[in-house]
Amino acid sequence: SFIVLSSIFFVSMSSFVFLFVFFFFQAEDGIRDAQESRGLGDVYKRQRESAASAEETESGLTTLMRLQESLPKDVSRWFWTVMALCNTVEVSAEINADNTQSYVYAATSPDEEALCAAAALRGSTLIHRTRNEAKVSITTTSEDSSSSTRVEDYVLHQIFPFSSEKKCMSVIVENKATGKIHLIAKGADDKMLARLVGAAAGPPKAKAEDHLRAFAHSGLRTLIVCMKSLTREELTSFKGRYAAALLQLQDLSLIHI
């Protein structure tokens, strides 16, 4: 079971790639082994915590809070919207006793539910999801403490669910209002860092690895989230190649029957 989603750190931003590293506590399953990357959803070995490691954790939490406060609001908001979209969670609405509406999330992984719930607490609430579309309610607070809410509609072009072999998952989404298309992926640090290319594979990757080591030694589970902007042409090309690959797999299946 989860205590709370602790913080996020915006590592880098180029014209094409966003890279996020974030971390959260797990109440009963222990913490990740600092020497081995196991990925979200795996079982973590319980480690003995010495006085020195406790001090490192406290120092790490102080750093996390400072990093979160330094994030630009638009970056923080987009991060939580990404977390509300990049999952396979089923959502249902419930009417409370005071006639307010709340949303209940169901998923095969408790991690997915926890991340969606955390995104909702931070103002990006997944309120509707089908196989082909999703709606996220975005609540923002201005400098005078007044709040406003808007609903963003997204097309879900493709979903690649998490598996223990891949240790990652990804979705291709399109904002219906803006027409912007993004490939969003999240997963274990070793799997995600290996997929970085271009500017994100340089100094930002090295900086992310430094933070990952520090977070692991502080007893924090880590997960990397990446995003790439896609053009309409790239999306169309991908869909064509993906459909062709599926047909080839179907042909091979028929041959082996």
Side-chain angles (χ1 to χ4, degrees):
S1 60
F2 296 91
I3 298 176
V4 66
L5 189 69
S6 173
S7 182
I8 61 173
F9 175 47
F10 180 64
V11 179
S12 69
M13 180 177 74
S14 69
S15 57
F16 296 104
V17 178
F18 290 80
L19 171 64
F20 301 90
V21 179
F22 78 104
F23 16 76
F24 54 97
F25 297 103
Q26 192 169 21
E28 298 174 356
D29 293 342
I31 57 176
R32 61 167 288 171
D33 188 328
Q35 281 72 46
E36 183 180 358
S37 176
R38 306 189 178 196
L40 192 66
D42 287 354
V43 178
Y44 292 77
K45 290 182 178 179
R46 191 174 297 278
Q47 300 181 359
R48 293 182 179 180
E49 188 175 88
S50 63
S53 63
E55 291 177 1
E56 289 177 358
T57 299
E58 183 177 357
S59 175
L61 290 177
T62 302
T63 301
L64 301 189
M65 296 305 297
R66 177 177 56 80
L67 288 171
Q68 187 176 28
E69 291 173 357
S70 67
L71 284 172
K73 287 186 178 181
D74 58 336
V75 172
S76 180
R77 171 58 49 228
W78 177 234
F79 171 84
W80 293 114
T81 302
V82 162
M83 294 314 303
L85 291 169
C86 189
N87 55 68
T88 54
V89 167
E90 295 181 0
V91 55
S92 59
E94 290 186 350
I95 303 298
N96 302 317
D98 58 357
N99 287 327
T100 59
Q101 193 172 51
S102 60
Y103 298 92
V104 178
Y105 301 126
T108 56
S109 165
D111 290 345
E112 295 274 77
E113 292 182 36
L115 296 175
C116 256
L121 288 173
R122 300 296 295 180
S124 293
T125 306
L126 178 65
I127 62 174
H128 173 75
R129 185 188 188 90
T130 66
R131 184 184 181 93
N132 300 313
E133 66 177 9
K135 297 179 184 290
V136 180
S137 176
I138 309 293
T139 300
T140 56
T141 304
S142 60
E143 295 181 356
D144 61 0
S145 298
S146 62
S147 61
S148 61
T149 301
R150 69 181 187 277
V151 174
E152 294 185 351
D153 294 335
Y154 290 87
V155 178
L156 300 179
H157 286 289
Q158 190 67 51
I159 301 175
F160 298 97
F162 177 88
S163 71
S164 57
E165 292 79 17
K166 295 186 301 179
K167 294 185 179 180
C168 64
M169 74 156 295
S170 56
V171 297
I172 299 178
V173 301
E174 178 181 350
N175 187 307
K176 289 185 179 180
T178 65
K180 291 183 178 180
I181 306 167
H182 297 102
L183 166 66
I184 305 168
K186 69 180 182 186
D189 45 59
D190 60 331
K191 300 296 183 181
M192 299 306 298
L193 290 176
R195 287 169 166 77
L196 294 181
V197 296
K205 179 180 178 180
K207 189 175 182 180
E209 290 172 333
D210 289 340
H211 282 283
L212 286 166
R213 283 190 289 269
F215 298 150
H217 285 294
S218 294
L220 299 172
R221 289 183 64 189
T222 55
L223 178 69
I224 286 183
V225 181
C226 297
M227 185 196 76
K228 177 180 175 63
S229 297
L230 300 177
T231 64
R232 183 72 57 185
E233 291 74 19
E234 287 174 323
L235 175 63
T236 302
S237 174
F238 162 77
K239 284 186 171 182
R241 288 182 286 117
Y242 184 64
L246 289 179
L247 286 175
Q248 289 181 350
L249 289 175
Q250 290 176 0
D251 291 342
L252 289 174
S253 298
L254 291 174
I255 291 173
H256 290 290
I257 289 179

